[in-house]
Amino acid sequence: MTTSVNDSLEADASEAVNPPIHTETLIIGSGFSGLGMGIALLKDGRNDFLILEKAHDVGGTWRDNTYPGAACDVPTHLYSYSFEPRSDWKQLWSYQPEIFDYLKEVADKYGLRAHLRFGKVAVRAAWDDDEMRWHVWTADGQEYVTQFVVSAIGALHIPSIPDLAGIEDFEGHAFHSAEWDHTVDLTGKRVAVVGTGASAIQFVPQIAEKVSSLDLYQRTPAWVFPRQNVEIPSGVKKAFGRVPGLRRAFRGGLYWGAEAGAYALNNRPVLLKGAEFVGKRFIRREIDDPELQRKLTPDYRPGCKRLLGSNTYYAALNRRTSTVITDGITKVTKNGIIAGDGIERPVDVIIYGTGFHVTDSFESLDIKGRHGVDVATRFAAEGPTAHRGISIADAPNVFFLLGPNTGLGHTSIVFMIESQIRYIAEAMRGVRQKGVDAIVPRAEVQEEYNRDVQRRLANSVWNTGGCQSWYLDKHGNNRTLWPGYTWRYWLSTRRVQQSEYEFLTRSGRSAAK
């Protein structure tokens, strides 16, 4: 017995504003992943695709995060498409406006705007076993019917606001760092920053000199290491553009240098003791007060949470107008924050540097797959899993870019994105070449793959380093990071092993391999 979406179509008819839109491939998101997937389809001669974007421009994370000091923490010559290199990056670690401009330029160069549909928030998807097609609905009621769905939403797009008592009572300005309110002038204001993650490490130094007081509410200190951004000299930029192979060699050097760090993170966390020594010495050098030094010194192994770099973060906290509070937050009042020490500290502005929903971000789209299987509910109950982090059993023709266990703690995520895009494009070609309708991973293959991933993560610093990080889901399993070198992932996704998949026809039966 097959499951059809015809019944649910009646329920959605009242919401529909236009007839269904048919397309071969529907891509959700227009950051590095979505744009890259669109370009791959064009290079494959496939023009029948649409890219749904919730906002009103491309860019994803690099469009949304406009907080002061926003920058990439991976060298940009590596954090960019290999097929679309640039010789004239201004700094070694580029700031948000330059990366945002790069993505807009790439979209324009490849003519992707003709395929983009802005202001479209995908909320629900249902697979029709009879049609062998997906029906996808956006928040405005528009329906899309498509053969392939590519989720390119990424992990860092749903801001995480802590559930604090009284949070709605605050009468001042409050916003998340990913939704920075640039209409608020912080000059002379009493500002509270909640959270000490990667974003806070970048924006705290930018605002510390402007505000009259800065209260930093820290649950867990981060390992922050000295790093000075480097302006790339004009002569070097010219050489990158003129000397054959130089830019490629530089990118290669950055890649293999970053890969060297994967061994300690994955296999021998004890080797990170040297990093711990450097980090503690940096704290002692930058912070005068011994008590503040103690507060800022992590009690877990470096690498357990993302390693951060800044030459200005500790200096910003060493100012007499800065206070680090580690007693937790008891309540938000209309005029300030009451910490665990019982003191109410009045503030004018609260900035949440509390990161994003990561392991639960895959639940943001309600997906009903093959035979009506509720994929989002399964993810919520068991944690998100996917075969090679890309495709999932019971969801034919659905592909994730930056899916479960494909994140990184040591190098450029763009490398992983390109590996996945190539794999997805090949899977789609396989469907067309076989003359079938769909491809879906075998459940037992996916389960074995994910058991191996968790086994390889067991001794990593992320699992054993003594911290509670956003890499772990609510069950304590690491569903975020890839366990090992990225070149191994590249090899594992170099070719689609067709024996790992079922190929389906409209009859509902599996086709021959």
Side-chain angles (χ1 to χ4, degrees), residues 200-212:
I201 267 66
Q202 292 183 338
F203 73 73
V204 162
Q206 300 292 318
I207 68 173
E209 294 184 2
K210 299 179 180 180
V211 303
S212 63

Side-chain angles (χ1 to χ4, degrees), residues 94-409:
S94 293
Y95 289 95
Q96 176 268 338
E98 192 174 18
I99 300 175
F100 184 29
D101 287 343
Y102 169 78
L103 290 171
K104 290 186 288 186
E105 290 166 9
V106 168
D108 292 337
K109 176 178 177 177
Y110 288 90
L112 290 175
R113 292 190 185 274
H115 300 269
L116 278 153
R117 300 295 181 268
F118 293 113
K120 296 292 184 179
V121 180
V123 294
R124 194 161 68 85
W127 171 256
D128 190 303
D129 285 314
D130 296 326
E131 294 178 355
M132 287 282 162
R133 291 296 183 267
W134 282 98
H135 294 255
V136 179
W137 290 269
T138 50
D140 60 5
Q142 180 63 62
E143 179 186 355
Y144 298 83
V145 181
T146 184
Q147 183 175 13
F148 302 105
V149 175
V150 180
S151 172
I153 60 175
L156 307 181
H157 72 108
I158 305 176
S160 177
I161 303 292
D163 184 16
L164 301 175
I167 193 171
E168 301 297 332
D169 298 330
F170 184 63
E171 295 181 351
H173 297 283
F175 50 86
H176 191 277
S177 61
E179 299 170 333
W180 196 274
D181 188 344
H182 292 276
T183 66
V184 178
D185 183 3
L186 299 180
T187 304
K189 297 288 197 306
R190 299 168 298 181
V191 176
V193 174
V194 180
T196 55
S199 299
I201 267 66
Q202 292 183 338
F203 73 73
V204 162
Q206 300 292 318
I207 68 173
E209 294 184 2
K210 299 179 180 180
V211 303
S212 63
S213 66
L214 174 68
D215 294 338
L216 180 68
Y217 288 84
Q218 172 188 276
R219 184 173 61 180
T220 308
W223 281 108
V224 183
F225 297 91
R227 188 180 71 194
Q228 180 67 47
N229 207 346
V230 177
E231 293 282 338
I232 300 178
S234 59
V236 173
K237 289 186 280 191
K238 289 178 182 177
F240 281 147
R242 295 174 182 175
V243 179
L246 180 61
R247 182 179 56 205
R248 185 182 181 89
F250 182 64
R251 180 184 172 102
L254 292 171
Y255 172 78
W256 289 110
E259 282 290 85
Y263 180 75
L265 293 168
N266 285 277
N267 305 106
R268 293 290 184 271
V270 69
L271 297 178
L272 295 165
K273 290 290 289 184
E276 184 174 330
F277 173 79
V278 172
K280 289 181 177 179
R281 185 176 63 179
F282 186 42
I283 294 171
R284 291 194 298 269
R285 189 182 76 193
E286 295 290 308
I287 301 297
D288 298 327
D289 178 26
E291 176 59 18
L292 183 55
Q293 290 177 7
R294 184 191 64 77
K295 288 182 177 180
L296 295 174
T297 302
D299 61 359
Y300 57 88
R301 183 156 286 167
C304 185
K305 296 189 177 205
R306 191 171 182 88
L307 299 174
L308 305 174
S310 173
N311 266 13
T312 55
Y313 176 67
Y314 288 138
L317 300 183
N318 199 46
R319 300 172 62 88
R320 62 176 182 80
T321 52
S322 297
T323 304
V324 177
I325 299 120
T326 59
D327 299 298
I329 295 175
T330 301
K331 184 179 181 181
V332 178
T333 68
K334 66 177 183 178
N335 296 315
I337 296 176
I338 300 175
D341 58 8
I343 299 173
E344 180 177 3
R345 295 173 174 85
V347 294
D348 305 304
V349 182
I350 300 175
I351 304 173
Y352 295 102
T354 44
F356 301 86
H357 291 276
V358 178
T359 57
D360 56 349
S361 67
F362 300 107
E363 302 163 26
S364 61
L365 179 63
D366 177 13
I367 303 176
K368 299 294 192 301
R370 192 179 179 190
H371 310 314
V373 170
D374 191 324
V375 176
T377 298
R378 188 174 69 189
F379 278 1
E382 303 173 5
T385 60
H387 185 50
R388 304 200 184 281
I390 298 172
S391 54
I392 51 179
D394 298 318
N397 290 353
V398 166
F399 304 101
F400 285 89
L401 289 166
L402 296 185
N405 290 113
T406 60
L408 298 173

Side-chain angles (χ1 to χ4, degrees), residues 49-65:
F49 68 91
L50 295 174
I51 304 174
L52 303 185
E53 171 52 55
K54 65 179 180 179
H56 296 281
D57 206 344
V58 300
T61 294
W62 297 104
R63 175 200 59 238
D64 294 344
N65 285 269

